[in-house]
Amino acid sequence: MLRLASISSLLVLIANALAINATTLIATMTPPAIAADARCFPQTGQCISGRFREVWEQSGGIAIFGLPITAAQSERSPDTGKTYLMQWFERARFELHPANPRPYDVLLGRLGDESLRKQGIIWQQAPREAAPPSDDSACLWFRETGRTLCDQPY
């Protein structure tokens, strides 16, 4: 049978352990500080700041890239295998390449290429057209790539 002093000591140890864990839990649940230049969107609960915000605003904003859907975070690039700061938007992924001079320090992820590769398609190996299709005037043909683009609102 435990003595009263031993039980009290045990309870103090448990209480201290719980307090430490609660403090740790609260610290990990605290949202990161928002940058002074951040622009936040209640629709997604995400913010953009710094170079990502500059490029986003200067290059079309919501109309081109959509809203931010993640926070900026370090991710491995599928193209290079290197880790960069990246932020995902509804229609783009921004990658910060600090070794590159402006305006090439923020690059867009090659989402179309990545999607095709996941399907086992290497688009560079697809057959090219020697001339524009004669049967569909709703298509644009690009001599430089030998590719035709159809059904686009232009």
Side-chain angles (χ1 to χ4, degrees):
M1 182 175 255
L2 290 173
R3 291 183 292 190
L4 186 55
S6 298
I7 294 173
S8 296
S9 298
L10 183 60
L11 289 175
V12 168
L13 288 173
I14 292 172
N16 286 339
L18 290 175
I20 291 170
N21 289 338
T23 302
T24 303
L25 181 61
I26 290 168
T28 60
M29 293 175 60
T30 303
I34 296 174
D37 70 335
R39 179 171 175 188
C40 299
F41 299 87
Q43 299 93 325
T44 62
Q46 299 297 330
C47 301
I48 55 174
S49 62
R51 272 301 281 150
F52 288 164
R53 179 177 178 180
E54 288 177 34
V55 170
W56 185 85
E57 288 178 343
Q58 294 169 358
S59 303
I62 291 174
I64 300 298
F65 305 114
L67 295 168
I69 56 173
T70 69
Q73 56 196 3
S74 293
E75 292 185 40
R76 189 181 66 76
S77 169
D79 288 332
T80 66
K82 295 181 181 178
T83 300
Y84 298 102
L85 184 66
M86 297 186 190
Q87 185 163 12
W88 288 80
F89 296 81
E90 291 174 304
R91 292 181 288 284
R93 181 184 67 226
F94 284 19
E95 301 177 1
L96 183 63
H97 293 254
N100 295 353
R102 284 181 181 228
Y104 309 107
D105 57 335
V106 176
L107 302 178
L108 298 179
R110 300 177 49 217
L111 304 181
D113 179 69
E114 292 169 25
S115 176
L116 289 172
R117 286 186 184 275
K118 286 179 183 175
Q119 299 172 51
I121 300 169
I122 300 174
W123 64 268
Q124 296 93 334
Q125 296 175 357
R128 297 174 185 257
E129 299 160 357
S134 59
D135 61 342
D136 193 349
S137 61
C139 295
L140 293 174
W141 179 69
F142 297 89
R143 179 185 327 270
E144 300 82 2
T145 62
R147 308 280 183 218
T148 302
L149 182 65
C150 300
D151 302 321
Q152 297 296 310
Y154 32 85

